[in-house]
Amino acid sequence: MFDEVIARNPGEIEFHQAVREVLESLGPVVAKHPEYADSEVIRRLCEPERQIIFRVPWTDDRARVQLNRGFRVEFNSALGPYKGGLRFHPSVYLGIVKFLGFEQIFKNSLSGLPIGGAKGGSDFDPKGRSEAEVMRFCQSFMTELYRHLGEYTDVPAGDIGVGGREIGYMFGQYKRITNRYESGTFTGKGLSWGGSQVRTEATGYGTAFFVKEMLKASAESFDGKRVVVSGSGNVATYAIEKVHQFGARVVACSDSSGYVVDEAGIDLDLLKEIKIERRGRIDEYADRRASASFISDGSIWDVPCDVALPCATQNELDDENAIRLIKNGCRVVAEGANMPTTPRAIHTLRDAGVRFGPGKAVNAGGVATSALEMQQNASRDSWTFDYTEERLSEIMTSVHHRCLETADEYGAPNDYVVGANIAGFTRVADAMLALGVI
Ligand code: NDP
Ligand code: 2IT
């Protein structure tokens, strides 16, 4: 089946990687449940229900015409409306969108909530663009995509390069074209126009909640641990915040220009001011903080730590990095980002007895809180921060439990990869069987 996926989707290497990782876990399930093979449910899962690719023309501040490509891959809707983020980054092409959409199916299923899987985005690079340029791009992007969306159809959110600002411009254009205030068509909205408390923080907080459970499962806690977090965007920032609240110290974080080491612990207010509020570069953090230094070559995974949280992008932690982490005494690696660890690095970590949490479980708190936002929109309600955070915490505890329970059931105790893949797969596969050959 893997050969068939490669042949049907040539050149889409990230998609191949994501499919392979799931297929490798499914042997014991098919052995126990031949009905999945008989109904070709796995083959059907690997083929998106719908793929939309479109032109996104817009004019820059100098009145020059710019051109980007837009994507939305609506992968699976057996469990609910298509759900998943939009990524704006120059590296985006069909293979990236499909890997993310495929992962999203199993993540959303694992969350236990009624959401299907999708992903989209564009090769637009927001770096260095003015507010007005970003707005015009978002409006052009939505002028095509709006026709495919809806609260019962497809519900986008943010991802790399897409946060509250971009969701605002896209929701505004959607509302304008459709003449409907349909809050439930987007998640990650601002708090004054239908957004949910905790959605901004959810992926990072959820990552910390999940790792807390991983540590608890081996009779440990965050207290006094040294943690390294890659990235300094949405996921990294709020992972750092919660990890600090749990009593650990984050000593390094990064962006695409390099990393900072701060033995006194990352000063989150300073980091937020530079990276979130002003969209600046990470070297400024070291310029303004005496205990910090900036390193532009080498790797953030050279920094010794007990817990490593890759929260930037795919394939950012390779085998060489894994070997270094193990040498330096790292005991837990958990993916805040989607597929940040290469397959070889995962094997190396697991062989060395490092506890490894895969993204589709660890970072499920973001999309889970999106589903909570959809719930609030559907009932025209809005919940308090504390109540919503409590719901997120419960969801992450149950995702953790589901992973370990399923890993046990299929003869791979403590293997979170096997547990997450099989638990995610069986829920969506059962729904597909029930819905017939569609
Ligand atoms: P942001 O755009 O807020 O931040 C991304 C961070 O990663 C930035 O620090 C960025 O650095 C860095 N980064 C991005 N691309 C690269 C690259 N090619 N090389 C090195 N560094 C890079 O995105 P998010 O925090 O939202 O997303 C981070 C990860 O988490 C992604 O894998 C995303 O898919 C995943 N995720 C996000 C969720 C969410 O709710 N937002 C939910 C679940 C997973 P720079 O600023 O220099 O570009
Ligand atoms: O990868 C992800 O889970 C996200 N970017 C969030 C998706 C969502 O719909 O909230």
Side-chain angles (χ1 to χ4, degrees):
M1 199 167 298
F2 184 59
D3 289 343
E4 185 181 309
V5 168
I6 293 180
R8 285 174 72 80
N9 305 277
E12 298 172 5
I13 48 175
E14 295 83 1
F15 178 50
H16 304 164
Q17 183 182 333
V19 170
R20 186 181 189 130
E21 195 233 39
V22 171
L23 293 187
E24 277 176 354
S25 297
L26 296 185
V29 191
V30 181
K32 206 167 165 178
H33 298 281
E35 66 272 22
Y36 293 139
D38 298 343
S39 59
E40 297 291 4
V41 82
I42 301 175
R43 180 164 285 130
R44 283 191 275 151
L45 264 167
C46 291
E47 183 76 11
E49 290 178 15
R50 189 178 297 105
Q51 310 184 50
I52 302 143
I53 304 181
F54 52 101
R55 178 168 74 192
V56 189
W58 55 283
T59 44
D60 66 18
D61 287 346
R62 292 201 263 162
R64 281 181 317 209
V65 175
Q66 298 286 341
L67 186 69
N68 288 100
R69 187 172 285 178
F71 301 90
R72 186 73 177 168
V73 174
E74 298 180 331
F75 228 116
N76 195 293
S77 61
L79 293 173
Y82 305 110
K83 183 81 197 88
L86 296 169
R87 175 178 293 192
F88 293 168
H89 192 273
S91 64
V92 167
Y93 77 107
L94 189 58
I96 298 248
V97 181
K98 275 163 75 174
F99 116 65
L100 290 162
F102 185 75
E103 288 279 291
Q104 200 81 45
I105 303 171
F106 304 98
K107 182 195 304 188
N108 295 4
S109 170
L110 187 60
S111 77
L113 296 159
I115 39 181
K119 203 79 184 195
S122 174
D123 56 1
F124 173 69
D125 186 358
K127 276 203 192 77
R129 290 297 178 187
S130 70
E131 287 274 335
E133 288 177 320
V134 170
M135 182 178 73
R136 285 196 296 275
F137 172 80
C138 288
Q139 290 177 338
S140 180
F141 184 82
M142 199 41 57
T143 300
E144 169 57 32
L145 192 60
Y146 88 94
R147 72 190 79 244
H148 303 287
L149 306 181
E151 66 175 311
Y152 299 110
T153 309
D154 185 350
V155 183
D159 194 80
I160 290 176
V162 177
R165 174 180 71 172
E166 292 74 19
I167 295 291
Y169 295 146
M170 288 190 274
F171 178 64
Q173 184 74 349
Y174 178 85
K175 185 177 78 60
R176 185 182 183 201
I177 297 174
T178 60
N179 194 33
R180 288 166 70 88
Y181 204 107
E182 212 179 87
S183 305
T185 301
F186 289 84
T187 62
K189 299 181 295 294
L191 297 181
S192 63
W193 40 280
S196 174
Q197 297 284 354
V198 194
R199 177 62 190 87
T200 305
E201 297 84 356
T203 313
Y205 279 18
T207 296
F209 287 136
F210 192 93
V211 176
K212 190 179 172 211
E213 292 300 315
M214 290 175 80
L215 290 164
K216 207 162 105 187
S218 52
E220 288 184 82
S221 79
F222 263 122
D223 211 26
K225 292 265 186 311
R226 272 175 75 90
V227 181
V228 167
V229 176
S230 67
S232 50
N234 174 268
V235 179
T237 300
Y238 293 100
I240 295 171
E241 186 163 284
K242 191 51 80 182
V243 160
H244 278 172
Q245 286 173 20
F246 285 153
R249 185 159 42 113
V250 178
V251 294
C253 64
S254 63
D255 67 13
S256 58
S257 66
Y259 64 99
V260 292
V261 179
D262 185 349
E263 287 295 337
I266 296 292
D267 176 341
L268 200 62
D269 289 339
L270 180 59
L271 187 72
K272 279 183 182 169
E273 188 215 312
I274 295 167
K275 291 297 305 181
I276 307 261
E277 284 163 36
R278 286 195 293 102
R279 299 172 193 274
R281 307 308 295 156
I282 197 98
D283 57 342
E284 190 186 328
Y285 179 92
D287 290 344
R288 290 174 54 186
R289 185 141 156 109
S291 53
S293 51
F294 171 70
I295 297 123
S296 62
D297 52 358
S299 160
I300 189 169
W301 310 119
D302 294 343
V303 181
C305 62
D306 303 305
V307 176
L309 304 178
C311 296
T313 194
Q314 64 277 351
N315 294 325
E316 53 158 312
L317 197 167
D318 65 15
D319 197 40
E320 203 182 307
N321 302 141
I323 291 165
R324 178 58 72 95
L325 282 168
I326 294 161
K327 260 195 197 135
N328 286 340
C330 176
R331 305 297 310 141
V332 176
V333 175
E335 298 184 322
N338 286 308
M339 210 170 75
T341 320
T342 65
R344 274 190 64 183
I346 296 175
H347 280 116
T348 300
L349 292 167
R350 286 152 92 201
D351 285 351
V354 174
R355 293 200 143 224
F356 176 77
K360 58 173 78 69
V362 175
N363 70 40
V367 78
T369 308
S370 279
L372 301 182
E373 183 169 332
M374 291 162 74
Q375 256 181 67
Q376 292 167 80
N377 292 152
S379 57
R380 303 194 184 286
D381 197 0
S382 68
W383 307 342
T384 64
F385 190 95
D386 289 350
Y387 176 74
T388 318
E389 189 182 9
E390 188 51 38
R391 294 285 306 266
L392 168 63
S393 164
E394 284 164 13
I395 290 167
M396 295 316 294
T397 304
S398 65
V399 168
H400 179 268
H401 177 75
R402 217 165 279 149
C403 288
L404 284 191
E405 191 184 51
T406 309
D408 266 348
E409 187 186 334
Y410 285 90
N414 294 320
D415 191 327
Y416 289 92
V417 174
V418 167
N421 285 337
I422 295 184
F425 168 77
T426 49
R427 181 166 174 252
V428 69
D430 289 342
M432 286 173 73
L433 288 185
L435 299 185
V437 180
I438 52 169

